[in-house]
Amino acid sequence: MHSLFIFITGGIMSSLGKGIASASIGALLQARGYFVRMKKLDPYINVDPGTMSPHKHGEVFVMEDGCEADLDFGHYERFTGLRCTAKDSLTTGKIYEKVLAQERRGDYLGSDIQVIPHITNEIKRFVMEGHELADFTICEIGGTVGDIEGLPYIEAIRQIKIDLGISRVACIHLTYLPYLKTSGELKTKPTQHSVKLLQSMGVQPDIILCRSEKDISDEIKTKLSMFCNVKKKNVVEALDMENIYLIPNKYHLAGLDRQVCDHFDLLDPELETQAEKEIHEKWVALEHAISVPSKTVRITIVGKYTKLKDAYISLSQALNHGAIANDARVEIDWVDAKKNLQDLENELGSAAGILVPGGFDSSGVEGKIAAIKFARENMIPFFGICFGLQLAVIEACRHVAGIANATSREFSDEGEIVIDFMDSWESNGLMESRLPSDNKGGTMRLGSYRCKIIENTLAHKIYGITEITERHRHRFEVNIKKYRKLFEKAGLEFSGMSLDGLLPEIMERRSHPFFLATQAHPEFQSHPFAPHPLFKAFLKAAIQHSDTLASLGTLTTSL
Ligand code: GLN
């Protein structure tokens, strides 16, 4: 079989869930036994999202190889189990960086450099690279059709369709049918316009995936089929779902994967039966686990970007996975670390577990440190991630070891700098280094690093092995070289260390039911079908704490 290509574009407006739709298509094709590869082409001009605000743009996802990527890669990995790489993520910034470097080198001597063909050729090269390794290359185009930045991408798709022929390329357009309450109907006009726009650029969608809050009638499908020039069966309903993991099966029931295979002439009754079985065993089983949990557990996240939930998407997903593994549902209370300390403590009192996630700079730091102190003193399960570990170290130095001016280089050059800038470290046998003056983009300790787990610790009990790999994204490290004695006095135990023994990776506290922090970002490796052990254990401890609180409450009322 020739390798095949699926392009996914979005119409009308952003936030329709193109990433989840793409991930679901990948998962459904896998259920039919195909090898898929997921790529994303992001039209923005940043080289990567590493320098964008998570507050506006959502989380920066970190791949195993250290590529800082759009959060949709998190959906791809969680839905398909694939490990994406830097070769799967393209931005306009990356293309221009490459084309301009080639121009400076003299590669194009004599020609003027233009969007067509120079930029479009690079886009095509990116799409084609490694295609022979997969049956399907699924490419999501970021943004909305009509965005100025997106034009070269649509043009590249148009050319690829000509180059390979329509039998090897399918274009899926995700749109939205707004429901007009006053007339009680779903409106198709925005979709018609969006498809016209795409057609005006030479691209005819093969399938239209229609997001909608209400069922789409046969009449609407007929109308969309006629006005948008697609087969009626290829107008596929994509109803709003309360949980994203219900989406693959819902799309399957709406006929999406069937129509994709029909487009490529791949329909085969045997494969249909296999897909049915696979989807049932995986996605329907997950659906059951999600919909009938025996308990609910409340986790309090004390963070900075609490308004845009996408800023912590992998984290909240990892908590969901941990809850599913404990036959529970998690409810997250987002607490703004910039709150005044008294209000903060009032909110933390009833938490079953407190989590301090990754973060940058000094805003909200005192609130996060207060939350860690509260968790430590009140024996509430605590889980610190990256910045959460660094602040837990500062908290212990200040309040347990009595070093009031313990701090991090990130926000002060004065005091005892227990978290400091490290200029070199070992990575898989090679030395890596950086300077404080280095560019901000792409210069952190990024991607997967191995870690040695010390036996007879909580970390060892949880992981069950003595060497693990976790993804990183940070600039500062625990300064164990200088402050080992102080950390011992503060009751900190480092249960995970880098393989060379120089960098603390996991920290815990023995005299506490569950107090563990990691310098890595385990949330990036958690999957619905393989919940991350740290999240599973944290949720378990939180459930136990919540049961204890409940039984105390019962005791108080019955006394
Ligand atoms: N700001 C800290 C650092 O750069 C932690 C980063 C993070 O939490 N991802 O080291």
Side-chain angles (χ1 to χ4, degrees):
M1 166 173 145
H2 276 310
S3 56
L4 305 169
F5 296 81
I6 299 176
F7 293 98
I8 293 137
T9 52
I12 305 173
M13 59 190 192
S14 58
S15 304
L16 289 182
K18 237 182 314 126
I20 293 173
S22 308
S24 302
I25 293 167
L28 292 176
L29 289 169
Q30 283 180 328
R32 288 170 180 263
Y34 294 115
F35 283 102
V36 303
R37 180 157 184 180
M38 307 289 308
K39 296 192 177 191
K40 180 157 189 202
L41 297 86
D42 257 316
Y44 51 71
I45 297 171
N46 300 59
V47 171
D48 63 46
T51 51
M52 291 185 194
S53 160
H55 192 37
K56 289 194 206 133
H57 192 268
E59 143 193 304
V60 175
F61 185 77
V62 181
M63 297 180 186
E64 209 165 50
D65 64 3
C67 173
E68 294 176 282
D70 187 88
L71 60 83
D72 281 329
F73 280 96
H75 297 310
Y76 303 165
E77 292 202 358
R78 287 187 284 272
F79 277 59
T80 64
L82 291 173
R83 301 282 167 96
C84 299
T85 72
K87 290 204 163 112
D88 300 317
S89 165
L90 186 72
T91 66
T92 300
K94 270 191 193 144
I95 306 177
Y96 274 82
E97 204 181 35
K98 184 172 174 200
V99 169
L100 291 176
Q102 286 168 179
E103 187 272 340
R104 291 292 81 191
R105 225 173 34 220
D107 291 4
Y108 308 109
L109 280 188
S111 49
D112 37 353
I113 301 162
Q114 296 183 293
V115 172
I116 307 171
H118 298 97
I119 300 301
T120 45
N121 279 352
E122 286 305 330
I123 298 174
K124 286 163 73 178
R125 227 187 303 283
F126 167 82
V127 169
M128 301 306 291
E129 192 179 1
H131 70 90
E132 61 288 344
L133 303 173
D135 299 316
F136 284 92
T137 300
I138 301 174
C139 296
E140 176 190 349
I141 315 295
T144 308
V145 167
D147 293 346
I148 289 185
E149 293 91 346
L151 297 179
Y153 294 86
I154 306 293
E155 169 59 15
I157 298 176
R158 189 193 67 75
Q159 293 183 18
I160 292 173
K161 236 179 163 175
I162 299 274
D163 296 346
L164 302 179
I166 50 168
S167 60
R168 286 185 64 194
V169 179
C171 293
I172 302 182
H173 190 55
L174 177 69
T175 71
Y176 180 57
L177 304 186
Y179 177 71
L180 208 61
K181 263 202 200 121
T182 42
S183 60
E185 55 178 352
L186 289 172
K187 306 303 290 181
T188 63
K189 194 68 88 187
T191 297
Q192 294 179 39
H193 281 300
S194 159
V195 169
K196 278 214 166 66
L197 194 58
L198 202 51
Q199 288 165 339
S200 73
M201 292 185 262
V203 173
Q204 167 65 51
D206 302 294
I207 294 176
I208 305 180
L209 190 55
C210 303
R211 275 295 298 276
S212 159
E213 54 179 296
K214 305 251 181 234
D215 289 340
I216 303 177
S217 67
D218 209 50
E219 199 184 329
I220 287 184
K221 286 187 182 167
T222 309
K223 189 169 173 186
L224 279 172
S225 155
M226 204 145 58
F227 283 94
C228 300
N229 192 30
V230 296
K231 285 190 212 162
K232 186 169 162 195
K233 273 192 171 169
N234 288 4
V235 177
V236 180
E237 174 179 89
L239 287 183
D240 294 355
M241 290 281 111
E242 65 189 52
N243 189 307
I244 56 171
Y245 299 119
L246 308 187
I247 292 175
N249 187 37
K250 198 76 188 166
Y251 283 5
H252 170 67
L253 295 174
L256 181 62
D257 47 321
R258 194 173 196 288
Q259 289 320 112
V260 169
C261 291
D262 186 32
H263 173 90
F264 291 113
D265 215 3
L266 289 173
L267 281 185
D268 166 346
E270 236 172 73
L271 277 187
E272 288 297 302
T273 321
Q274 182 192 325
E276 216 49 65
K277 189 167 168 275
E278 276 282 320
I279 291 166
H280 223 85
E281 280 170 7
K282 253 183 117 171
W283 294 100
V284 179
L286 181 63
E287 202 171 314
H288 285 308
I290 293 169
S291 49
V292 282
S294 65
K295 47 201 168 284
T296 299
V297 53
R298 306 192 75 84
I299 297 295
T300 303
I301 298 185
V302 185
K304 198 167 81 170
Y305 309 116
T306 50
K307 288 214 178 69
L308 184 74
K309 299 292 178 286
D310 271 358
Y312 294 115
I313 180 92
S314 290
L315 183 62
S316 44
Q317 288 307 319
L319 285 167
N320 278 337
H321 308 155
I324 296 169
N326 282 287
D327 187 22
R329 183 191 19 234
V330 65
E331 276 181 15
I332 302 175
D333 293 320
W334 302 89
V335 174
D336 185 352
K338 293 194 273 323
K339 269 207 165 123
N340 86 48
L341 295 187
Q342 192 50 54
D343 287 351
L344 191 72
E345 289 202 356
N346 290 344
E347 289 208 35
L348 294 177
S350 58
I354 295 176
L355 192 153
V356 174
F360 291 83
D361 79 52
S362 62
S363 82
V365 154
E366 293 309 321
K368 292 178 190 177
I369 292 179
I372 296 168
K373 179 166 182 277
F374 192 85
R376 178 175 58 76
E377 291 177 344
N378 294 286
M379 298 292 167
I380 302 173
F382 167 76
F383 189 16
I385 293 184
C386 201
F387 205 32
L389 173 136
Q390 299 176 355
L391 297 180
V393 169
I394 295 174
E395 191 282 321
C397 293
R398 284 189 190 172
H399 305 124
V400 181
I403 307 296
N405 64 351
T407 189
S408 164
R409 180 76 65 198
E410 189 165 4
F411 25 90
S412 178
D413 282 327
E414 271 151 38
E416 298 298 334
I417 316 279
V418 293
I419 306 295
D420 209 344
F421 183 84
M422 292 285 151
D423 50 11
S424 60
W425 63 91
E426 194 193 295
S427 165
N428 301 333
L430 295 172
M431 283 313 281
E432 285 190 35
S433 59
R434 67 194 149 172
L435 297 169
S437 57
D438 277 350
N439 286 341
K440 286 275 186 282
T443 55
M444 286 187 260
R445 181 147 87 98
L446 283 166
S448 279
Y449 284 86
R450 287 189 289 168
C451 160
K452 192 164 131 22
I453 304 280
I454 316 301
E455 287 186 43
N456 301 318
T457 58
L458 177 60
H460 185 236
K461 195 170 150 211
I462 294 173
Y463 278 105
I465 43 178
T466 52
E467 194 184 307
I468 54 143
T469 308
E470 294 285 2
R471 300 184 196 178
H472 287 246
R473 181 173 185 255
H474 55 104
R475 199 162 268 119
F476 303 92
E477 307 280 352
V478 177
N479 191 354
I480 197 164
K481 210 158 127 194
K482 184 161 171 200
Y483 292 106
R484 183 182 292 274
K485 284 255 146 54
L486 173 63
F487 297 149
E488 272 167 24
K489 193 171 160 210
L492 301 177
E493 186 175 0
F494 293 104
S495 49
M497 295 294 291
S498 59
L499 287 195
D500 60 8
L502 297 179
L503 301 176
E505 292 276 1
I506 303 176
M507 179 268 266
E508 61 191 66
R509 200 166 250 298
R510 276 197 192 252
S511 52
H512 192 284
F514 189 102
F515 192 102
L516 185 139
T518 164
Q519 187 60 80
H521 284 276
E523 69 272 27
F524 293 136
Q525 296 207 108
S526 186
H527 290 212
F529 303 106
H532 193 287
L534 291 180
F535 282 88
K536 192 169 152 186
F538 173 55
L539 264 295
K540 185 171 174 203
I543 291 166
Q544 273 163 4
H545 184 68
S546 148
D547 287 349
T548 313
L549 286 182
S551 63
L552 286 178
T554 325
L555 278 183
T556 334
T557 28
S558 59
L559 276 175

